């Protein structure tokens, strides 16, 4: 078939068959002579690709087949398999790239298309005060995760099924920001407590002692989660989409028990409550002086106001979790304790706190300084004097 103009388009397209496959692309020109030249070049390129495939013994493979092979043969046997399948399925189902695109046609331009479309895929980010869903743009780490699954699938097809990839394909990842790990200093903590409302102080103290996340703290219930007899608190861990609810356990220490027992009788179901100072809130009506369960947005608002008033507006509620972890590590030096307290499935996740805790390194350096022979220091001083004399002469 010669070049042609599809209905409603200004540019010519070409369409031809080689090696049992159909090649059809726009020529990006309205000039028929130029369009035919583009078609001739495409035919030459197609014939070269087919010859290279036959010479190497590699069979053409489509994108959806490559993704399917990678899932069945690898991802399905991994704990993160569902996440990888979801990322690859999104590319096909949302038609980011055609499902029947041959792998040797997936060039750097197609990879850039994936990056662009992935940036446009907004992520759920909680709800506003009226219960409406909020969304935020994906981070570089989220986009890179998609790219890494794509790269792994393509290389799996090449290495395990002898598929031919684009000769100049290069899947580069986006630069990622360093993870933010910040704890509150003793001075910052004291400043916040000085301006924090009294009915929120116990909750903040509890978070500093347990390192629990905001969602886990406010969802604590008396009957289901607090067991004074066993000395444990059961809480819901951070839940990822597609995963079942997982729970963690934190021991009840004497100080934690004192804090919890102060809350008894304030609400029959929920542990944490606040005292209503106004008759109306956003979407709620309150009885002044009565206690009500603390909600997600209620706590977020109160924390941000207190942190700003205390002169540390950048201090997040989540930083209380980091504070608890850093203090545990500084006191015990045991990373496993940090892992168990925070409920991390992998100790590698907890290891970021070792990079923030310089107390052990500082102590070791001080010991090394004390062990340094006195004569070395004396020799060094004499050398400095000698050098100065030499410069003067």
């Amino acid at each position: 078939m010669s070049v042609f103009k599809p209905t409603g388009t200004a540019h010519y397209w070409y369409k031809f068959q080689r090696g049992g496959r159909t090649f059809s692309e726009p020529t990006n020109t309205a000039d028929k002579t130029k369009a035919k030249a583009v078609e001739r070049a495409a035919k030459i390129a197609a014939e070269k690709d087919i010859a290279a495939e036959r010479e190497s013994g590699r069979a053409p493979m489509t994108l959806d087949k490559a993704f399917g092979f990678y899932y069945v043969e690898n991802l399905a046997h991994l704990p993160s398999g569902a996440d990888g399948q979801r990322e690859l399925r999104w590319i096909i189902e949302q038609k980011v790239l055609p499902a029947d695109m041959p792998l040797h046609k997936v060039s750097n331009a197609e990879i850039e298309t994936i990056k662009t479309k992935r940036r446009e895929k907004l992520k759920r980010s909680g709800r506003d005060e009226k219960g409406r869903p909020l969304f935020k743009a994906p981070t570089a780490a989220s986009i890179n995760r998609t790219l890494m699954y794509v790269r792994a699938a393509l290389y799996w097809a090449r290495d395990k099924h002898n598929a031919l990839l684009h000769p100049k394909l290069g899947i580069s990842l986006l630069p990622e920001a360093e993870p933010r790990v910040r704890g509150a200093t003793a001075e910052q903590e004291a400043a916040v407590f000085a301006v924090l409302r009294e009915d929120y102080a116990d909750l903040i103290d509890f978070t500093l002692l347990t390192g629990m996340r905001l969602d886990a703290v406010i969802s604590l219930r008396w009957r289901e989660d607090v067991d004074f007899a066993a000395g444990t608190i059961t809480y819901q861990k951070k839940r990822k989409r597609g995963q079942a609810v997982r729970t963690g356990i934190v021991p009840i220490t004497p100080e934690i028990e004192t804090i919890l027992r102060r809350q008894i009788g304030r609400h029959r179901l929920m542990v944490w409550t606040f005292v209503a100072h106004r008759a109306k809130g956003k979407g709620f009506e309150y009885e002044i002086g009565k206690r009500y369960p603390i909600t997600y947005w209620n706590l977020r608002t109160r924390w941000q106001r207190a942190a700003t008033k205390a002169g540390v507006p950048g201090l997040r509620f989540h930083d209380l979790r980091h504070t608890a972890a850093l203090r545990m590590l500084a006191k015990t030096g045991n990373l496993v304790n940090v892992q168990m307290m925070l409920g991390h499935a992998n100790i590698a996740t907890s290891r970021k706190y070792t990079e923030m805790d310089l107390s052990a390194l500082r102590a070791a350096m001080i010991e090394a300084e004390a062990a340094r022979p006195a004569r070395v220091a004396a020799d060094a001083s004499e050398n400095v004097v000698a050098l100065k004399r030499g410069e003067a002469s």
Side-chain angles (χ1 to χ4, degrees):
M1 181 182 292
S2 184
V3 294
F4 65 99
K5 281 186 180 181
T7 303
T9 62
H11 292 168
Y12 283 97
W13 282 59
Y14 64 76
K15 186 175 182 180
F16 60 87
Q17 290 185 336
R18 289 292 186 276
R21 288 144 58 187
T22 300
F23 297 83
S24 181
E25 296 283 347
T27 63
N28 298 321
T29 179
D31 187 303
K32 191 170 185 178
T33 301
K34 292 181 180 179
K36 287 185 175 181
V38 172
E39 181 190 36
R40 285 195 297 272
K43 287 180 178 179
I44 294 172
E47 289 166 358
K48 286 183 178 179
D49 288 343
I50 293 171
E53 290 173 6
R54 289 172 178 169
E55 184 179 351
S56 63
R58 296 182 175 184
M61 184 182 296
T62 59
L63 201 60
D64 59 339
K65 284 186 178 180
F67 289 173
F69 280 133
Y70 182 59
Y71 175 74
V72 171
E73 298 171 2
N74 188 46
L75 281 181
H77 310 289
L78 300 177
S80 60
D83 293 336
Q85 183 188 33
R86 184 169 55 251
E87 296 287 354
L88 298 177
R89 186 187 297 163
W90 168 77
I91 293 174
I92 300 300
E93 292 181 351
Q94 297 301 315
K95 298 181 179 179
V96 178
L97 296 178
D100 59 352
M101 173 175 277
L103 294 193
H104 69 277
K105 288 284 189 180
V106 180
S107 65
N108 295 335
E110 281 65 41
I111 300 302
E112 289 302 317
T113 298
I114 295 176
K115 291 180 183 178
T116 301
K117 294 294 185 182
R118 190 65 179 81
R119 287 190 184 97
E120 298 171 357
K121 184 185 176 186
L122 300 181
K123 182 180 179 181
R124 285 287 294 269
S125 180
R127 295 180 178 273
D128 63 13
E129 296 177 353
K130 294 185 178 180
R132 295 171 298 193
L134 297 173
F135 299 88
K136 64 180 181 180
T139 62
S142 297
I143 298 173
N144 285 343
R145 186 163 54 248
T146 302
L147 296 175
M148 286 188 285
Y149 281 122
V150 172
R151 180 169 62 187
L154 296 183
Y155 290 170
W156 185 272
R158 179 194 66 186
D159 299 337
K160 302 295 183 180
H161 294 276
N162 213 26
L164 185 69
L165 301 185
H166 193 285
K168 295 183 179 179
L169 178 65
I171 303 180
S172 58
L173 303 181
L174 300 174
E176 297 181 22
E178 289 294 324
R180 182 184 188 276
V181 179
R182 173 185 176 181
T185 64
E187 293 76 15
Q188 290 172 339
E189 182 181 328
V192 171
F193 274 107
V195 298
L196 188 67
R197 268 179 44 172
E198 187 177 351
D199 46 347
Y200 290 86
D202 277 348
L203 184 153
I204 301 302
D205 245 346
F206 175 86
T207 306
L208 283 165
L209 292 170
T210 62
M212 289 171 59
R213 291 185 173 90
L214 188 154
D215 284 333
V217 172
I218 62 171
S219 63
L220 286 180
R221 300 157 297 177
W222 286 117
R223 180 172 297 182
E224 295 86 349
D225 303 325
V226 180
D227 189 339
F228 286 115
T232 59
I233 299 168
T234 303
Y235 65 93
Q236 289 189 6
K237 290 186 176 182
K238 184 179 180 181
R239 184 178 179 182
K240 293 183 179 180
R241 190 182 302 173
Q243 287 186 348
V245 175
R246 299 175 301 142
T247 59
I249 295 178
V250 170
I252 297 178
T253 65
E255 189 172 352
I256 291 174
E257 182 173 357
T258 300
I259 293 173
L260 289 174
R261 289 195 180 277
R262 279 202 294 266
Q263 317 310 313
I264 295 177
R266 293 176 172 176
H267 195 273
R268 66 186 186 89
L269 297 177
M270 308 306 294
V271 173
W272 305 109
T273 60
F274 71 98
V275 178
H277 287 192
R278 295 186 302 173
K280 287 188 177 182
K282 291 191 175 180
F284 299 96
E285 289 189 2
Y286 300 119
E287 182 180 335
I288 296 176
K290 187 177 179 180
R291 283 188 172 267
Y292 295 88
I294 294 176
T295 64
Y296 177 90
W297 286 105
N298 176 266
L299 179 57
R300 281 281 301 269
T301 300
R302 286 296 163 192
W303 172 260
Q304 289 170 358
R305 287 179 181 175
T308 301
K309 195 172 180 180
V312 282
L315 191 66
R316 309 169 304 173
F317 186 92
H318 193 75
D319 292 329
L320 301 179
R321 178 174 170 85
H322 297 323
T323 304
L326 289 167
R327 289 177 181 174
M328 171 69 74
L329 185 61
K331 187 65 177 177
T332 68
N334 191 326
L335 195 59
V336 175
N337 287 340
V338 175
Q339 177 193 9
M340 294 177 65
M341 183 179 72
L342 299 185
H344 289 156
N346 193 327
I347 198 169
T349 309
S350 314
R351 194 165 288 121
K352 62 185 177 183
Y353 294 105
T354 62
E355 299 173 2
M356 298 297 297
D357 179 29
L358 300 178
S359 57
L361 176 60
R362 184 178 292 107
M365 291 177 66
I366 292 173
E367 290 182 6
E369 289 176 358
R372 186 185 183 199
R375 61 179 180 80
V376 174
D379 291 347
S381 300
E382 292 173 3
N383 289 338
V384 170
V385 172
L387 284 171
K388 287 184 176 179
R389 287 174 179 171
E391 291 174 0
S393 61

